[in-house]
Amino acid sequence: MLNDRREIPGQIHARLKVFLVCGRLLSFTQAADALHVTTGAVSQQIRQLEEWLGFRLFRRLPRSLALTEEGRRLLPVVEASYGAVDLEIHRLYGGHLSGIVRLRAVPSFLTKWLVPRLPDFQRRYPQIELRIEAEDSAQALLPGLFDLAIDLNDGVYPGFEISLMMEEDIFPVCAPALLERGSSLTEPSDLRHFPLLHDMTAWRGSQPYAEWEQYLRQIGAADVDVRRGYMFNRNHLTIGAAIAGMGVAIARRALTTDELASGVLVEPFNRRVSTGKRYGIVYPSGALDDRRIRAVHDWLLHQAQPPAAPL
């Protein structure tokens, strides 16, 4: 049961904003840095919000935070609400923003995720000219060459700021026709009967077989030999080869939604694992002081939010 509802609504809204930042970062300390307040102030705001709600939002672990079930349900609703407000504000003055914003993105993410969403940006900010470059993840991000960059890595970028967009999961996929050729593919050991498809630049600094090795290690099948098959230097080329029936590839959740929904790809093991990597928006310190860059940054974050879960 909720506590006293006579509390000033503005205080609750402020605490929900703190909850949003903590929920994204899963760290009171990092949230305090982002909000420019003390860690104690963040902890107190969350405690007061939890008391008002009557249930816990976080589980306090020795070195991190974890959302409770209630917290996981509430977070996307709060994200969607604040995101809608921010986007409407940007829409109101979006027509007055003009100029160039330089945006870099790893090629597969650019092709599969960003480009289909760009018409929405164009409608909201018709005067902002995006200059988009596909950048190989093997190349370093250098100061002065971009305003914003979307990258897949561990979230650590010395000399830059980063805003988390989404975590990434990986899992094997193949064309349905591949499973109709005689050999069974129900266990990891069955992979020896199939060609494997590899993305040699899965993330910045990765080794050629990194995705397959990490997936099999996390499901407890690290003894399966994956150092064979076909190698590509783009994820979308690897997935294209899987669609063509050439073998089994490692897919990323963010980049294969349409292929799985349409049935051109299937998950033989139906088991996904986290890479520990994340898509993030990287930018030089102070870049978001420019309203044009801030508009692009906030639009990207809103696009990355999952739909609010029904209550």
Side-chain angles (χ1 to χ4, degrees), residues 1-4 46-55:
M1 180 177 180
L2 297 180
N3 291 325
D4 188 355
I46 295 299
R47 178 179 56 79
Q48 291 172 340
L49 178 60
E50 289 176 330
E51 290 176 353
W52 187 82
L53 290 170
F55 51 77

Side-chain angles (χ1 to χ4, degrees), residues 109-152:
F109 190 85
L110 174 62
T111 301
K112 294 295 298 178
W113 189 91
L114 182 58
V115 168
R117 291 168 168 80
L118 287 178
D120 179 80
F121 180 86
Q122 188 178 47
R123 288 191 296 270
R124 294 177 184 274
Y125 303 100
Q127 302 303 318
I128 294 180
E129 179 184 343
L130 288 180
R131 293 195 176 175
I132 300 173
E133 294 184 5
E135 181 212 24
D136 195 305
S137 63
Q139 299 177 6
L141 292 173
L142 300 176
L145 298 183
F146 63 92
D147 298 310
L148 300 169
I150 303 174
D151 199 54
L152 177 66

Side-chain angles (χ1 to χ4, degrees), residues 19 23 26 46 50 53-61 65-76:
F19 164 66
L26 293 179
I46 295 299
E50 289 176 330
L53 290 170
F55 51 77
R56 291 291 185 91
L57 296 168
F58 295 99
R59 289 187 292 112
R60 278 71 166 173
L61 305 176
L65 294 174
L67 288 163
T68 63
E69 177 62 27
E70 292 83 359
R72 284 194 294 270
R73 292 178 60 186
L74 183 60
L75 181 62

